[in-house]
Amino acid sequence: MGIRNYVWITGLILALSGCTKEAPEVSQSVSTEQAVHPLIAGINWADARDNFVDGWVIPSGLDAGDDYASVATKSNALYNGVISNLPGVNAIRLPINPPSVTERWRTAYQATIDQALNKKLKVVLSCWESSATKDGKIDNLDAFWQMWTIVINKYGQQSDVYIEVINEPYGYSLTQLSTIYEQFLARFPNLPRNRILLSGTGYSEDVNGVGADVRFKDCLLALHNYAFWNTRTQSEWEANWQTRYGAYAARTIVTEFGAGMTTGKNYTGAGGNDNEVAYMVGSTNVFRNTNLSSVYWPGIRDGDSYSLLNKSGTGTGITFSVTNPSGVARVRFGWGY
């Protein structure tokens, strides 16, 4: 990864003020010294197959045959690389599903959580559905409740573990989704509400409906938005984000956003007519100006052109390189740096 020292990073960040025609307005209103850092500033660590899998989710760098000690060793090295290459990162979002929690993989996989906590990273655990159905709904409700019962019994009292109930529940109407969330809160009454993330409707793309429900007033809200959904100018992307979180910015965590990082685009240069550049600049402007928590998709995932970090090696010999320093600079700018 290309970020090797603070001086180099500082040069990138200071350069942001002159990068695009619209960027100076942001840098004038919020300087690096004035920045307020959000609750969660993180990345996703994802399965190379994507997190929609039949069976265990196995994030890139782990193997199905690993035991707890092996996963702990690999996770420790990985988090060291993440922290050194992404200064200011404070959270990791990890996928789970019922097979990963109710079968033997759980014993090994929980080392990813434990090692993150040892590194003082916050952990967001989010439930993915399988690839077999992939209809935006919970595959098996009984297995879903069993999974969360096990997880919450283990980590429910860990103040740095956040629970994202369902990833991208696009198969449900607002009423149906709200019913599931109400059932979740009833089943786990002792889980602090300010560590529960309720995804917005659609592909977690609008939190206004869930946010307005008084039953969930003490819960956080999970929001996703991607440039491949539409083409907009930088200012249009900024306005679009604001419509998606509405009056609920203080409760919203953007648990996924991302753009191509291995394509050589300059996210601190002139945006021109490039939709991804407009998206990244506009998105991170919004995050910074509203102190909106954000988790980039993905920080680490083998073979993903959106990945911020390229991983090589295994075990304690794992190393990282930055796929796009300008992309890292924009992500960190959104975190308030």
Side-chain angles (χ1 to χ4, degrees):
M1 200 150 234
I3 300 177
R4 299 299 181 194
N5 57 67
Y6 177 79
V7 174
W8 189 83
I9 271 289
T10 303
L12 272 180
I13 300 305
L14 291 176
L16 289 173
S17 61
C19 292
T20 72
K21 293 180 180 179
E22 297 171 276
E25 179 181 343
V26 174
S27 61
Q28 289 167 2
S29 61
V30 185
S31 73
T32 51
E33 289 77 16
Q34 295 170 327
V36 177
H37 305 302
L39 171 69
I40 287 178
I43 62 166
N44 282 268
W45 180 14
D47 193 310
R49 302 166 294 174
D50 204 347
N51 295 335
F52 298 98
V53 294
D54 301 325
W56 306 340
V57 282
I58 305 173
S60 294
L62 304 182
D63 297 293
D66 288 342
D67 58 13
Y68 182 95
S70 298
V71 173
T73 297
K74 293 178 178 180
S75 298
N76 181 68
L78 183 139
Y79 294 141
N80 284 340
V82 169
I83 291 167
S84 65
N85 285 287
L86 300 176
V89 67
N90 72 9
I92 191 84
R93 183 173 181 246
L94 295 169
I96 62 171
N97 61 16
S100 300
V101 172
T102 61
E103 298 175 11
R104 68 174 178 83
W105 178 234
R106 177 186 81 222
T107 303
Y109 190 37
Q110 69 184 22
T112 60
I113 304 170
D114 297 342
Q115 288 302 307
L117 295 174
N118 286 343
K119 297 292 183 183
K120 307 303 180 185
L121 293 172
K122 297 173 183 178
V123 178
V124 178
L125 300 176
S126 182
C127 176
W128 260 258
E129 62 175 313
S130 67
S131 62
T133 53
K134 204 171 182 181
D135 56 2
K137 296 181 178 180
I138 297 165
D139 295 328
N140 180 301
L141 200 55
D142 288 339
F144 175 81
W145 294 129
Q146 182 185 9
M147 173 198 70
W148 278 127
T149 298
I150 292 171
V151 170
I152 291 168
N153 283 345
K154 175 71 175 177
Y155 294 106
Q157 299 308 309
Q158 287 276 4
S159 61
D160 284 333
V161 174
Y162 293 75
I163 303 299
E164 187 176 350
V165 181
I166 312 169
N167 175 71
E168 297 185 347
Y170 62 89
Y172 296 113
S173 67
L174 174 59
T175 299
Q176 293 169 328
L177 185 60
S178 298
T179 297
I180 292 171
Y181 290 157
E182 183 179 38
Q183 292 171 350
F184 184 93
L185 297 184
R187 282 177 175 266
F188 306 108
N190 296 323
L191 183 65
R193 298 303 187 247
N194 63 357
R195 290 197 288 111
I196 299 172
L197 280 72
L198 304 180
S199 293
T201 51
Y203 289 84
S204 301
E205 60 196 291
D206 190 319
V207 302
N208 287 282
V210 177
D213 194 317
V214 295
R215 293 172 294 180
F216 314 132
K217 62 182 179 63
D218 298 320
C219 297
L220 300 174
L221 307 167
L223 178 63
H224 296 180
N225 195 7
Y226 284 102
F228 60 76
W229 288 350
N230 214 325
T231 299
R232 300 182 172 95
T233 65
Q234 177 187 319
S235 61
E236 287 172 340
W237 277 115
E238 291 172 359
N240 181 259
W241 276 106
Q242 291 161 11
T243 64
R244 293 177 184 276
Y245 61 71
Y248 308 104
R251 294 165 54 196
T252 298
I253 312 291
V254 177
T255 53
E256 286 188 27
F257 79 104
M261 291 295 160
T262 62
T263 52
K265 292 186 179 183
N266 182 6
Y267 292 108
T268 57
N273 296 320
D274 191 291
N275 186 49
E276 285 192 311
V277 174
Y279 164 87
M280 282 297 294
V281 173
S283 299
T284 51
N285 285 352
V286 169
F287 302 163
R288 184 185 183 95
N289 284 343
T290 58
N291 194 32
L292 196 68
S293 291
S294 62
V295 185
Y296 182 85
W297 176 275
I300 302 166
R301 181 186 173 214
D302 292 346
D304 193 323
S305 64
Y306 279 35
S307 185
L308 282 180
L309 306 180
N310 182 54
K311 175 181 61 62
S312 60
T314 59
T316 56
I318 193 171
T319 60
F320 292 92
S321 59
V322 170
T323 57
N324 188 322
S326 71
V328 169
R330 282 311 310 191
V331 170
R332 295 188 69 248
F333 181 82
W335 291 344
Y337 295 97

